[in-house]
Amino acid sequence: MLKVSNIEVSYGDYQVIWGVSLEVAEGEMVSLLGPNGSGKSTVFNTISGLLKPRSGSIELAGKRIDGQATHDIVRLGLAHILERRRVFPYLTVRENLWLGAYHPDAKPHREQTLEEIYVLFPRLKERERQAAHSLSGGEQQMLALGRGLMSRPRLLMVDEPFLGLAPGVVQEMKDAFDRVNAEGVSILFIEQNVQVALNMSSRGYILESGRLALAGASADLLNSTEVKRIFLGA
């Protein structure tokens, strides 16, 4: 579903990503991990077209997408949920969700997809006429995820989905991830909690200072002394 090959990324003259490669198979859930400042969000922003790589290539379902506009990449089946939710605060829940289905392939299915989102997150249905800024942090995260799903993606990328959430809400979000993934949507996500991330995903990639430090099956990474060194300095 996704193939990132040897990308290098700079902010102006300052290089921040060196030769990073990763893959997500169809129907797979994969985590991207690393300490703060390791380049995780930069990799996501490059995949979704918000940044352009200096070199390397990015393929979505076999099609080159590096260099394409972000809205065209969305239409090809990629949804990117940014860190810190980024909902439209003064629009209602329903209006926020409606905007997620703006591209021509999603528009004809808006009502059907909206009902599917309300089944996934019943609290959004209860609050559909409320302004987004009046929601709790957990509800806003549900809204951000729901808005991304309104585009009917084949690949969902989520940056820090559990940031600042209460344990009960984290479990709700994890259950939602499992349900979406079970319906065939591939998922690539960033998460600071290594144990949570690797318990959710089948495989993981770990960045360190803009370079790929480790990659492998989640079970192997959970027991890796190198992972402990990267995150704990052990």
Side-chain angles (χ1 to χ4, degrees):
M1 183 56 64
L2 177 70
K3 184 177 181 180
V4 178
S5 302
N6 203 36
I7 60 167
E8 304 207 343
V9 185
S10 297
Y11 292 114
D13 294 330
Y14 183 68
Q15 187 166 348
V16 291
I17 299 296
W18 286 265
V20 168
S21 300
L22 60 86
E23 295 185 5
V24 181
E26 187 168 354
E28 191 177 25
M29 193 185 311
V30 176
S31 55
L32 179 62
L33 309 171
N36 286 334
S38 60
K40 304 182 297 298
S41 294
T42 298
V43 169
F44 267 33
N45 291 341
T46 306
I47 293 170
S48 65
L50 297 172
L51 296 171
K52 306 302 180 188
R54 289 178 58 183
S55 61
S57 64
I58 304 170
E59 296 179 12
L60 181 67
K63 296 180 180 179
R64 284 282 295 266
I65 60 171
D66 49 285
Q68 292 200 36
T70 298
H71 63 272
D72 291 328
I73 295 172
V74 171
R75 188 171 182 179
L76 290 172
L78 174 67
H80 178 189
I81 290 114
L82 298 165
E83 185 183 0
R84 303 185 193 284
R85 301 154 195 142
R86 313 289 180 94
V87 298
F88 297 101
Y90 296 104
L91 298 182
T92 66
V93 167
R94 183 184 176 90
E95 288 166 341
N96 266 274
L97 292 171
W98 204 251
L99 284 171
Y102 73 90
H103 71 75
D105 297 333
K107 277 183 179 178
H109 308 282
R110 281 182 295 193
E111 288 292 351
Q112 176 190 341
T113 312
L114 186 66
E115 291 308 312
E116 292 170 358
I117 300 304
Y118 285 156
V119 170
L120 186 65
F121 296 123
R123 273 190 276 177
L124 296 183
K125 173 66 173 176
E126 295 168 6
R127 292 158 172 74
E128 67 174 345
R129 299 192 182 280
Q130 287 183 224
H133 71 82
S134 69
L135 304 180
S136 69
E139 290 163 350
Q140 288 187 24
Q141 187 65 68
M142 293 174 191
L143 179 57
L145 181 58
R147 188 179 60 195
L149 291 170
M150 285 292 293
S151 69
R152 302 174 72 87
R154 302 174 68 185
L155 172 67
L156 182 67
M157 296 197 315
V158 193
D159 193 339
E160 297 278 12
F162 311 132
L163 183 66
L165 301 185
V169 181
V170 170
Q171 187 58 54
E172 285 186 65
M173 293 295 296
K174 289 167 65 177
D175 292 343
F177 270 53
D178 288 339
R179 289 170 65 180
V180 169
N181 186 235
E183 291 172 2
V185 178
S186 304
I187 298 175
L188 176 64
F189 69 99
I190 293 170
E191 170 54 37
Q192 285 292 342
N193 188 315
V194 176
Q195 189 162 11
V196 166
L198 293 177
N199 281 327
M200 287 178 59
S201 56
S202 59
R203 293 186 302 110
Y205 292 89
I206 298 178
L207 294 181
E208 186 178 20
S209 301
R211 294 175 170 85
L212 188 63
L214 286 172
S218 293
D220 294 335
L221 294 176
L222 275 169
N223 296 314
S224 168
T225 55
E226 184 66 5
V227 171
K228 294 176 182 176
R229 180 196 65 77
I230 291 170
F231 287 95
L232 302 176

